[in-house]
Amino acid sequence: MINVLFASGSPGYDDYEAPLRAAFEAAGLAVNLSPEMDPAEVEYVIYGPSKGQLDFTPFKRLKAVLSLWAGVETMVTNETLQVPLCRMVDHGLTEGMVEWVMGHALRFHLGMDTHLQGQDGIWRAGSAPPLARERKVCVLGLGALGSACAQALAALNFEVHGWVRLEKSLEGVTCHHGESGLAPALRAADIVVLLLPATPATTHVINAERLALLAPGACLLNPGRGPLVDDDALLAALAGGLGHAVLDVFDVEPLPADHPFWAHPKVVVTPHIASETRAVTAAQVVAENVRRGEAGEPFLHQVDRDAGY
Ligand code: NDP
């Protein structure tokens, strides 16, 4: 029997137990799965950040930690974690993110708010939006989520640019990389989508200087992580030429009720719901990684602890 500890409060064991048992069985693995276990016996930990920082020192037989979340910024600095850490790449999570990004990008592109809020008897002729091909979209981060969003936007004919750390090519997307690639990616962008991980290198990647590069009236979508954006710079830009921001993630979550973002006429706050790991598809990824661990094969989606993602 392989001992697997489920260490996540939210999402919880009740949601995951049946999908995990089915996925382990389908993978031909005999697993002892439990939310409570003697640490000395645990071989794999399925982890959700809601459980807080774990001290892995007593986990003497541990082979890997399998995160249920894509973002692992709270785990990469855990020095008691000495075994491979794998993050979640789940096609349910990816599909959800594509839908959130497309929905908000199209809402801005089509100027839907003008008509949703303007049912006032005024016939606003001549307010047809430009075509998508006339809008530049910039996606910062072209990983599992960013590349799927970039390609979905490109499929609608948006002029899509992306920015990554290491050189990359992606069909339909003009890719930029490294420090020198950021300004060309952002310059004159009408819509910016942030799908970078939170690392020391990405903190406040969106600051006053970068916001000033965007097209007048541009829209910022942040489903990545709060620290990617300098909030004071964003509020200042919104007081000027920046058109709109949709923010799903924040430095402090839940976003305090008195935060200026809530009441800002150019900001929409969503409560970290852009996408979530889906139990059935995520369980298959977890089971595959346990199978790989037992077979001595490389894990899927192993985190580079030095890069921080
Ligand atoms: P990946 O690790 O697959 O992709 C990260 C991307 O960011 C890569 O393209 C990487 O570049 C790029 N990147 C990282 N650091 C830098 C840097 N310093 N400069 C330029 N590019 C950089 O992550 P995912 O796509 O799976 O997820 C992205 C983030 O989305 C997660 O970290 C998480 O924070 C957030 N998220 C938010 C959710 C929500 O509901 N709001 C749900 C799920 C995730 P390269 O390709 O060169 O490595």
Side-chain angles (χ1 to χ4, degrees):
M1 288 291 255
I2 308 161
N3 290 326
V4 178
L5 172 69
F6 186 90
S8 172
S10 170
Y13 191 62
D14 288 351
D15 295 330
Y16 270 78
E17 183 183 4
L20 281 168
R21 290 197 188 285
F24 287 134
E25 192 181 333
L29 299 168
V31 168
N32 171 30
L33 174 70
S34 173
E36 303 288 340
M37 207 175 274
D38 175 359
E41 299 299 320
V42 174
E43 293 169 274
Y44 298 88
V45 171
I46 300 170
Y47 176 79
S50 55
K51 208 68 183 173
Q53 282 290 0
L54 289 184
D55 176 4
F56 290 101
T57 314
F59 291 65
K60 301 292 185 202
R61 293 178 63 197
L62 191 61
K63 297 175 182 169
V65 173
L66 311 173
S67 171
L68 291 177
W69 283 36
V72 287
E73 67 276 10
T74 59
M75 301 203 68
V76 286
T77 54
N78 186 335
E79 288 179 2
T80 67
L81 175 49
Q82 299 290 333
V83 296
L85 167 65
C86 302
R87 51 186 218 92
M88 181 50 66
V89 176
D90 151 39
H91 68 77
L93 177 71
T94 304
E95 281 175 40
M97 186 60 79
V98 169
E99 291 173 18
W100 188 94
V101 168
M102 296 294 276
H104 288 284
L106 284 173
R107 170 180 157 234
F108 170 78
H109 165 61
L110 296 173
M112 286 182 180
D113 289 8
T114 305
H115 302 289
L116 290 173
Q117 294 161 9
Q119 298 294 300
D120 50 9
I122 297 171
W123 184 260
R124 293 180 174 82
S127 61
L131 292 173
R133 68 177 74 254
E134 295 163 321
R135 297 257 203 216
K136 176 175 174 179
V137 181
C138 173
V139 182
L140 301 191
L142 295 175
L145 301 177
S147 59
C149 293
Q151 290 196 308
L153 289 158
L156 280 181
N157 290 335
F158 284 105
E159 179 198 330
V160 183
H161 292 245
W163 183 65
V164 286
R165 193 166 62 98
L166 308 168
E167 193 169 0
K168 176 167 188 149
S169 63
L170 188 65
E171 196 180 341
V173 178
T174 303
C175 296
H176 308 262
H177 69 277
E179 191 68 23
S180 63
L182 184 53
L186 288 173
R187 189 167 292 117
D190 297 290
I191 300 173
V192 176
V193 183
L194 305 183
L195 278 167
L196 294 162
T199 70
T202 62
T203 303
H204 289 189
V205 66
I206 292 299
N207 57 21
E209 182 193 336
R210 273 80 185 248
L211 287 164
L213 293 169
L214 308 185
C219 173
L220 177 74
L221 307 181
N222 185 13
R225 282 293 182 264
L228 301 176
V229 178
D230 176 342
D231 288 354
D232 292 337
L234 176 59
L235 287 165
L238 287 163
L242 190 68
H244 194 71
V246 184
L247 309 173
D248 185 58
V249 284
F250 304 90
D251 288 341
V252 176
E253 294 182 9
L255 184 67
D258 60 353
H259 195 285
F261 285 151
W262 280 114
H264 200 293
K266 290 180 168 182
V267 176
V268 167
V269 169
T270 62
H272 202 144
I273 47 78
S275 191
E276 66 176 7
T277 306
R278 312 287 154 154
V280 170
T281 41
Q284 291 161 5
V285 178
V286 168
E288 171 59 10
N289 260 341
V290 173
R291 188 200 67 73
R292 283 170 175 253
E294 294 306 291
E297 297 174 16
F299 289 110
L300 296 173
H301 320 308
Q302 189 171 335
V303 171
D304 174 345
R305 300 277 294 272
D306 293 331
Y309 68 99

